[in-house]
Amino acid sequence: MSENQVNGPLHGLKVLDLSRILAGPTCTQLLGDMGADVIKIENPATGGDDTRSWGPPYVEMTDGSDSDISAYFICANRNKRSVAVDIATPEGQKIIRDLAAMADVLIENFKPGSLAKYGLDYASFKDDLPGLVYCSISGYGQTGPNASKPGYDLMAQGYGGIMSLTGEPEGDPMKVGVGIADVMCGMYATTGILAALRHRDATGEGQQIDIALVDSQIAWLINEGVNYRVSGELPKRRGNGHPNIVPYKTCAASDGHVILAVGNDTQFQRFMTWLGLEGQADDPRFATNPARLENRDALYALIDPEMAKRPMADIISGLEAIKVPVGPVNTLDQVMESDQVAARNMAPGLASEDAADGVIPVLGNPLNFSATPVTYRRAPPRFGADTDDVLAELAEDQGKD
């Protein structure tokens, strides 16, 4: 195995992580998976990242007690070293400035302007550290009338419009089942950091990246956002239906639910024949996708009772045989135990001396590089576990100057 395969494509990159909760930690975990050395700064006054206490469940310790590693903390904090520093103190501020001098990237998600009082904002760094890439994640961004407002995933989903599109037609607006605004913001931040690093490597010039949860959420309204901008018409909630394709939705089977995704008229003809409704495929109300959009309720009144008579396995095998897109609605046990997840290593475990069974389960990184694969080097750390090691490295580095 080559050195690159062991170390990852970002080996040698040092990231100073002042973020917490989910958006920033998602970003830094991605960078860590790709080989970066991520130093996670945690506040000793609060016991570290807020999500350490967002449980149960927690990782069980070897003595049977709960650790400070919750499942929520696990999801975004592998491949990091935890360092306890109180940035409200002069000593803590000096440590952060010294670590920033060693770093390529600094990431923070404090309320805009709040780090200035500690001398840790971008303006305080840019002259002394001109090559530093400084990424600021916030709810609404560093500018605009809402810049001072706190930002949370649920608020971003509400303000940015995705909740108005999600849920049953007659139900309440509904958030996505996980903190997707946070996660997508973290992914956009990762992309921005990699682009800024390329610019830095070419010119020596660092910069600040200003990224907001709400901006990110608006950006991934994708077709529904553009549908509105083109037509001026507000989209309607359609449950699991699609605004532009019919039939495309979840369907009840006799023993669960399946996803039906008929993407064109030829597939629709095959589907209706398989369902025993071939005569209906030529009905002018259903013969083309625009017609089916106009008459979706009438079509579903025909389809749904027939689908409900059949078990999931028969529907999936039958439609796959005639090349009509179909799939199961899996529960998480079915997901994690599937052959596909095993083949793609999407449910790995990380060795941990703290865990009762010696392993902390995580979710896999979906990136698969042919030459520089992602690595799972470090289990999510206990609070402050690496403080002494990192500060010793800092002293050694300063001793070389």
Side-chain angles (χ1 to χ4, degrees):
M1 184 177 291
S2 70
E3 183 177 348
N4 284 338
Q5 288 177 308
V6 173
N7 294 325
L10 296 183
H11 177 65
L13 189 77
K14 191 172 289 293
V15 177
L16 183 57
D17 183 5
L18 274 63
S19 71
R20 59 208 183 280
I21 314 294
L22 189 55
T26 293
C27 171
T28 52
Q29 178 169 270
L30 287 172
L31 297 173
D33 286 354
M34 291 185 282
D37 178 15
V38 179
I39 299 174
K40 181 179 179 69
I41 302 300
E42 300 194 71
N43 186 356
T46 62
D49 192 309
D50 304 50
T51 62
R52 287 187 179 277
S53 63
W54 288 9
Y58 298 94
V59 170
E60 184 180 332
M61 299 282 287
T62 52
D63 63 4
S65 64
D66 285 339
S67 70
D68 62 351
I69 302 176
S70 69
Y72 202 114
F73 181 80
I74 290 170
C75 79
N77 286 288
R78 65 171 172 258
N79 287 333
K80 302 178 185 181
R81 297 192 285 170
S82 173
V83 177
V85 176
D86 185 354
I87 67 170
T89 67
E91 296 80 8
Q93 293 156 23
K94 182 179 186 307
I95 289 172
I96 297 302
R97 284 192 288 269
D98 289 344
L99 288 172
M102 295 171 55
D104 301 282
V105 179
L106 186 153
I107 300 175
E108 58 89 7
N109 64 348
F110 285 78
K111 186 177 177 180
S114 61
L115 286 179
K117 62 185 176 182
Y118 303 128
L120 301 178
D121 59 329
Y122 178 62
S124 299
F125 283 113
K126 66 178 182 179
D127 291 335
D128 292 336
L129 303 174
L132 182 67
V133 173
Y134 189 109
C135 181
S136 297
I137 297 173
S138 60
Y140 293 88
Q142 304 295 305
T143 59
N146 292 343
S148 64
K149 293 184 178 181
Y152 298 93
D153 177 89
L154 183 59
M155 292 180 182
Q157 290 196 42
Y159 193 96
I162 193 65
M163 288 178 67
S164 73
L165 309 178
T166 307
E168 292 300 322
E170 304 304 322
D172 292 335
M174 190 65 62
K175 74 177 184 67
V176 179
V178 296
I180 190 64
D182 273 334
V183 171
M184 287 300 296
C185 184
M187 294 177 70
Y188 278 115
T190 304
T191 303
I193 287 167
L194 295 176
L197 286 169
R198 180 166 175 81
H199 174 75
R200 189 278 309 270
D201 292 346
T203 67
E205 179 185 37
Q207 61 185 298
Q208 184 178 25
I209 300 167
D210 168 11
I211 183 165
L213 295 182
V214 169
D215 293 352
S216 299
Q217 200 266 268
I218 292 170
W220 55 262
L221 288 173
I222 52 173
N223 60 299
E224 283 285 50
V226 178
N227 282 349
Y228 168 71
R229 295 211 65 203
V230 170
S231 69
E233 297 180 6
L234 288 173
K236 300 176 181 178
R237 292 195 301 278
R238 302 188 186 280
N240 292 317
H242 196 284
N244 302 108
I245 305 172
V246 172
Y248 188 113
K249 71 183 191 96
T250 54
C251 295
S254 63
D255 59 350
H257 289 79
V258 297
I259 296 168
L260 179 66
V262 179
N264 58 54
D265 296 339
T266 302
Q267 289 178 358
F268 179 69
Q269 289 279 347
R270 295 199 300 270
F271 166 66
M272 295 295 276
T273 298
W274 177 85
L275 204 58
L277 298 173
E278 60 271 16
Q280 300 290 344
D282 296 321
D283 186 317
R285 295 177 299 166
F286 312 136
T288 65
N289 187 67
R292 293 193 292 275
L293 281 171
E294 291 293 324
N295 297 284
R296 72 168 71 216
D297 291 343
L299 178 60
Y300 289 154
L302 293 173
I303 289 173
D304 288 348
E306 295 300 319
M307 294 287 279
K309 297 175 183 177
R310 298 164 167 80
M312 292 174 62
D314 289 355
I315 294 173
I316 292 171
S317 62
L319 293 184
E320 284 182 343
I322 61 171
K323 293 182 169 46
V324 171
V326 65
V329 177
N330 283 330
T331 55
L332 291 191
D333 57 335
Q334 293 168 326
V335 174
M336 299 303 170
E337 295 166 10
S338 69
D339 293 342
Q340 183 68 18
V341 163
R344 302 288 290 179
N345 193 30
M346 286 304 297
L350 301 184
S352 170
E353 295 179 356
D354 296 319
D357 59 2
V359 174
I360 294 179
V362 298
L363 301 180
N365 187 309
L367 292 169
N368 287 277
F369 296 97
S370 63
T372 56
V374 301
T375 56
Y376 306 112
R377 306 177 307 283
R378 292 177 175 269
R382 301 296 303 277
F383 168 65
D386 305 290
T387 303
D388 291 344
D389 289 344
V390 170
L391 294 185
E393 291 173 13
L394 178 59
E396 181 181 356
D397 182 77
Q398 291 176 328
K400 294 176 182 177
D401 296 336

